[in-house]
Amino acid sequence: GFFAGIAGSIMETKVKLTIAATLAAVATSIIVIQQRQNSRLRNELAAIRGFEATTSSRATNRITASKGSSLPFPAVAAVRSDMIALADLESVLAKSIRDELWKNDNLAFRAVIARIDDRDMPAALAYMSDHLIGIPRDQVRENMVFFWARRAPALAAAWCQQFPATAEQQRLSQMVAKNWAYLDPEAALRFAPNADAIHELALHSPAQAENEALQFPPGDERNRALGILSNVKLDQDPGSVASWIEKLGGDDRAVALRAILPQLTESDPSAVASYVEKLPPTGQGLQTGLNFAVGWAKRDPMAAADWSAALPLDSGFRLGTITSIAGIWAVSDPTQAAAWISGLPAGHVREVAARSYVLHAAVHDPALAATLVPQLAVEARADAIGKIRQSWLKSNPDAARQWLSQMNLSADQTTTSGAAK
């Protein structure tokens, strides 16, 4: 299939580019840094789990839900010698509120959070929630849950699950899941659908990662997960990309393809174009088609424009892509773009391309943009003339006034559809 050919072209291109070695070195450094971070987090969790604390009144009596019901959290504690004693917790938190540490010295506030025993964090969160309101309360809660989740994600997850499924609860749950993903992606996925966990899982068990991602409900996390899988496959096993894309349907296919469009378009845009044309020209499919057109237009606007203009008359991609391409081309090479648009057969496609061109070129080259005004649909001319006039009067007022007089308008006249005609 064409993905296999694209993969081969990508490899050839990488070999030819002298910058490839530098990019590879940078990528390696990033991976090493991430691996070190993951290793550190895993060691933290191992240390935490290595100390089994007995259930105590301190771990249970002070941990209450929003309506006063006690929560039986697992007895797991962070291992530090400078932890804040429970008896001192309220006074420490009260001082941080008085000093507004989260606003005036966030590093100092983080240091306070780091010294709160994991078993006491629910009580600390309840105290801060009771004594703060609005944005400060939300910021503080997010800070505290973020760092708690890095140390003891299971405890943080259990705390999140006690609340109703509000937007805030879902946001905090995602924060916990993202931190948990680096320590134990499978456990993180059991807690909440999370694309970061899919990435971690895909590095070691791609088939399992696919199965997990395809069980996500529709939405941003599913889309992120599909995009991550596409990139991991293209990086680790380019030959598997075709089967991965083919097995998906509808919006999933468009999302997965869109995630790797830049790499594919750089290698063989014509081949990608034939695949994009098979996508449904609505929703995610349309967005993928437009993204592809924009990416191609930035590299080779003439080829992209020829492709768009040659699409079938009933193609749902035709008008949207020609609009995007003409706008980009009007900025990158307005002279060539104007000549190409003028060479199109009269009709709706030329009118759409000309309108996009004029609205973009008017800022940088109003004189050239003015030459395409006659090719616009009558109802579109007023807006275009206004854009050109505004720009041209600043750069060359005499030429602008002469042009406006030819259009039966004055420099001070407000254009209307009737005047533009």
Side-chain angles (χ1 to χ4, degrees), residues 66-219:
S66 56
K67 294 185 178 179
S69 59
S70 61
L71 288 173
F73 284 90
V76 179
V79 181
R80 290 181 56 129
S81 59
D82 60 342
M83 285 295 178
I84 301 170
L86 184 61
D88 300 327
L89 184 58
E90 286 192 9
S91 62
V92 172
L93 294 177
K95 185 178 187 304
S96 72
I97 291 175
R98 288 195 304 273
D99 296 341
E100 295 187 314
L101 286 186
W102 65 89
K103 181 167 62 177
N104 298 327
D105 190 351
N106 199 38
L107 290 178
F109 184 59
R110 292 181 182 182
V112 171
I113 297 173
R115 293 174 54 223
I116 300 175
D117 191 300
D118 290 329
R119 296 167 300 179
D120 296 335
M121 190 64 80
L125 281 161
Y127 182 88
M128 299 301 275
S129 296
D130 289 341
H131 291 79
L132 292 170
I133 60 173
I135 294 177
R137 181 195 63 190
D138 295 342
Q139 291 176 340
V140 166
R141 282 162 67 96
E142 288 187 7
N143 263 326
M144 295 176 72
V145 173
F146 177 84
F147 286 100
W148 189 22
R150 290 176 70 108
R151 296 191 320 225
L155 284 176
W159 178 82
C160 286
Q161 287 177 323
Q162 69 177 298
F163 299 107
T166 62
E168 182 185 19
Q169 189 269 351
Q170 292 174 3
R171 185 174 65 254
L172 293 175
S173 293
Q174 280 298 318
M175 186 184 299
V176 172
K178 288 176 188 297
N179 278 286
W180 206 350
Y182 298 108
L183 302 171
D184 188 344
E186 294 184 59
L189 286 170
R190 287 194 295 270
F191 171 59
N194 179 258
D196 296 276
I198 293 297
H199 179 267
E200 291 294 305
L201 200 58
L203 298 177
H204 310 291
S205 181
Q208 183 181 357
E210 282 185 30
N211 292 335
E212 293 282 0
L214 293 175
Q215 294 178 38
F216 282 17

Side-chain angles (χ1 to χ4, degrees), residues 15 17 27 71 79 122 163 174 195 237 247 292 297 345 352 361 389 409-410:
V15 171
L17 293 174
L71 288 173
V79 181
F163 299 107
Q174 280 298 318
D237 184 12
K247 75 184 290 184
F292 166 68
V352 168
R389 181 184 57 188
L409 295 168
S410 70

Side-chain angles (χ1 to χ4, degrees), residues 190-277:
R190 287 194 295 270
F191 171 59
N194 179 258
D196 296 276
I198 293 297
H199 179 267
E200 291 294 305
L201 200 58
L203 298 177
H204 310 291
S205 181
Q208 183 181 357
E210 282 185 30
N211 292 335
E212 293 282 0
L214 293 175
Q215 294 178 38
F216 282 17
D220 291 342
E221 282 304 304
R222 182 184 180 95
N223 293 344
R224 283 188 62 224
L226 295 176
I228 285 171
L229 287 172
S230 291
N231 276 286
V232 169
K233 289 177 182 296
L234 188 63
D235 181 55
Q236 294 189 341
D237 184 12
S240 68
V241 173
S243 59
W244 159 242
I245 298 293
E246 290 289 348
K247 75 184 290 184
L248 301 173
D251 284 350
D252 285 350
R253 177 178 294 185
V255 168
L257 179 61
R258 187 165 70 239
I260 51 178
L261 275 178
Q263 302 96 307
L264 301 182
T265 304
E266 181 179 353
S267 174
D268 191 349
S270 297
V272 181
S274 64
Y275 201 84
V276 167
E277 292 170 27

